[in-house]
């Protein structure tokens, strides 16, 4: 199998798995218990928290472990709203993950105004429109650090300046950037940040919300003193240990890994273009995660490409409506102004730690035939078009 | 994946389109009718081809619908329903029933086109055909 869907989830690094194993059986006590076995589990949790804090450049007591990125986004947005009643406007980019968009939409039921700020053709937020929208009634500006579908990296520092000028709080869904590019919570002056373990070789079921000290927010689940009473429930000790290990590995290897993956990705893009005509890149040509290659294949549909790739053992994803479980093509591509047929014909290859050049070359080898077969079947494709 | 009857018919007696690229599925069917008469109990689908822009389910639907329609009288084709195709495929996920199951309607459009061409607009008007007529080639 050739796995090129790392933005969806990554395999857990074997070193991460090894670090977790003792915490399923040998050191399995509840970190809240007062016996020494409990202390040992507590120590492991706090050690991981310290690793995260140094990796992200934040304080240990600014970190709240959650079940993942979605829960972190939900606590950030709804928890912040429920803890105050002065400011009633929430702003997000049009291309946020649903884990941000849906909580924001939900808050409209509670009298909040929710504004989505458009992006340009590359997926970069319109800063002047953002500036017009942010006012003294704005509670929160939430903009992802990098987009999961197209990989475009948002100008977070500028966005933060705009938000702070009017006293608004800035939250970023950094699920796609943590462990891939440097994120400095303190230096960037981020107020709230969501991250997820399984997007950078940690386990599934663990994530964290980082909240600048002094920002008040409510818990969404109640029932214990865990995580400073902000997230009740017995800590996922093996998950937390694994998340710590994933951060430790990333802080060592991230820079070299990014170069290697970018080279593979560019090899893939150039190789595909050499054999297939009319491919259109989606996302910013430069300000983009090294892992991500999203493009549209004119005249054909994404899910049928995915099926053919899958039959060749290649895992990818698409912004086609057929893959979304709804009738709508990717809201990200549509917000970028990609026409509907090209949004349906989009394909995302997302690369990662365990990909090899051989794998990339195999994709370059099989993909042109898939496109040729589907284009031959397509009523949109004119026979006289050159190449496949 | 090896769909049957993919392609076009050069001198088709009828052409039918259903769907559009905006919703992600578009099908065009071409039919040959024999004998070329206006009695829908006598005229049959002698040959059939299709082209589709669509997901895997749409391709499967088009292929299955084309196989089912081949050899049938026009009345039998008019009486076919989208459920018949879905059943032959051992079911489709609910969301695909809505968006991808356009095969029967596109074939019925082709029959309608044939009847209109031979001057039987009255018969053509009785066929419901496609509820989402696309614009092929318009991207």
């Amino acid at each position: 199998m050739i796995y090129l869907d790392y933005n969806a989830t990554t395999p857990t690094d074997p070193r991460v798995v090894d670090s977790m194993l003792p915490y399923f059986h040998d050191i399995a006590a509840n970190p809240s218990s007062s016996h020494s076995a409990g202390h040992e589990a507590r120590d492991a949790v706090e050690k991981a928290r310290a690793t995260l804090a140094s990796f992200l450049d934040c304080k240990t007591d600014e970190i709240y472990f959650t079940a993942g990125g979605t829960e972190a986004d939900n606590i950030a947005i709804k928890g912040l709203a429920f803890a105050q009643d002065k400011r009633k406007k929430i702003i997000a980019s049009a291309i946020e993950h649903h884990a941000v968009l849906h909580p924001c939409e939900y808050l409209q039921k509670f009298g909040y105004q929710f504004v989505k700020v458009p992006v340009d053709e590359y997926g970069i937020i319109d800063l002047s429109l953002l500036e017009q929208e942010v006012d003294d009634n704005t509670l929160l500006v939430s903009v992802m650090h990098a987009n999961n579908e197209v990989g475009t990296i948002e100008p977070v520092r500028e966005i933060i300046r705009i938000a702070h000028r009017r006293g608004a709080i800035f939250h970023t869904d950094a699920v796609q950037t943590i462990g891939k590019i440097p994120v400095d919570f303190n230096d960037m002056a981020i107020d709230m940040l969501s991250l997820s373990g399984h997007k950078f070789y940690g386990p599934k079921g663990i994530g964290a919300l980082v909240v600048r000290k002094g920002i008040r927010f409510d818990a969404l689940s109640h029932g214990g003193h865990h995580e400073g009473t902000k997230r009740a429930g017995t800590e996922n000790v093996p998950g937390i240990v694994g998340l710590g290990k994933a951060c430790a590995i990333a802080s060592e290897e991230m820079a070299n890994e990014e170069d290697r993956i970018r080279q593979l990705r560019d090899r893939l893009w150039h190789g595909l273009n050499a054999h297939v005509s009319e491919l259109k890149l989606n996302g910013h040509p430069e300000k983009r995660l090294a892992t991500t290659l999203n493009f549209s294949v004119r005249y054909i549909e994404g899910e049928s490409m995915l099926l053919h790739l899958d039959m060749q053992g290649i895992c990818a994803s698409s912004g086609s409506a057929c893959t979304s479980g709804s009738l709508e093509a990717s809201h990200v591509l549509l917000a970028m102004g990609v026409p509907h047929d090209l949004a349906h014909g989009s394909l995302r290859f997302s690369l990662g730690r365990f990909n090899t050049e051989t794998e990339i070359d195999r994709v370059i080898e099989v993909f042109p035939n898939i496109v040729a077969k589907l284009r031959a079947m397509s009523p949109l494709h004119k026979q006289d078009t050159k190449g496949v | 994946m090896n769909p049957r009857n993919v392609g076009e018919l050069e001198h088709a007696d009828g052409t039918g389109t259903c769907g559009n690229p905006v919703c992600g599925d578009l099908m065009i069917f071409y039919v040959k009718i024999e004998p070329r008469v206006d009695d829908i109990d006598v005229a049959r689908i002698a040959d059939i081809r299709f082209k589709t822009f669509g997901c895997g389910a749409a391709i499967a639907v088009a292929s299955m619908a084309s196989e089912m329609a081949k050899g049938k009288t026009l009345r039998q084709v008019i009486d076919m329903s989208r459920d018949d195709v879905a059943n032959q495929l051992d079911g489709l996920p609910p969301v695909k029933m809505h968006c991808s199951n356009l095969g029967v309607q596109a074939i019925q459009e082709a029959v309608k086109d044939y009847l209109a061409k031979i001057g039987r607009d009255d018969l053509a008007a009785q066929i419901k055909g496609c509820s989402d007529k696309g614009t092929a080639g318009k991207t």
Side-chain angles (χ1 to χ4, degrees), chain B residues 33-130:
Chain B
I33 310 288
E34 273 173 27
R36 295 185 76 254
V37 295
D38 65 354
D39 184 341
I40 59 172
D41 290 310
V42 174
R44 289 177 185 272
I45 307 282
D47 203 357
I48 186 163
R49 295 282 190 279
F50 73 89
K51 286 207 158 188
T52 181
F53 169 90
C55 59
I59 297 170
V61 160
S63 174
M64 180 59 83
S66 69
E67 283 289 292
M68 288 170 71
K70 204 187 266 184
K72 283 205 164 68
T73 65
L74 301 193
R75 185 185 296 283
Q76 286 170 323
V77 170
I78 293 164
D79 288 342
M80 272 171 69
S81 82
R82 42 205 281 153
D83 291 341
D84 296 338
V85 177
N87 291 339
Q88 279 296 315
L89 288 167
D90 278 338
L92 279 174
V95 69
K96 303 285 186 189
M97 280 302 282
H98 179 79
C99 72
S100 306
N101 203 356
L102 308 169
V104 166
Q105 293 174 66
I107 295 172
Q108 288 166 353
E109 279 293 328
V111 169
K112 205 170 163 165
D113 181 44
Y114 163 72
L115 290 170
K117 273 180 181 163
I118 61 166
R120 293 301 304 266
D121 293 293
D122 56 325
L123 288 174
Q126 288 169 28
I127 301 174
K128 202 164 153 244
C130 178

Side-chain angles (χ1 to χ4, degrees), chain A residues 69-78 90-108 114-117 140-148 170-175 192-195 209 331:
Chain A
T70 298
E71 192 189 12
D73 287 338
N74 270 270
I75 297 174
I77 295 162
K78 293 188 280 191
I90 292 171
I91 299 171
S93 85
I95 61 166
E96 293 304 304
H97 192 278
H98 289 132
V100 165
L101 291 179
H102 291 176
C104 292
E105 285 161 9
Y106 173 74
L107 284 174
Q108 292 175 310
F114 172 40
V115 175
K116 279 190 271 188
V117 176
L140 175 71
V141 174
S142 182
V143 179
M144 64 206 326
H145 193 194
N147 181 268
N148 49 310
F170 175 76
H171 165 255
T172 190
D173 180 337
V175 154
M192 303 176 108
L193 176 148
S194 303
L195 66 94
L209 174 65
H331 71 286

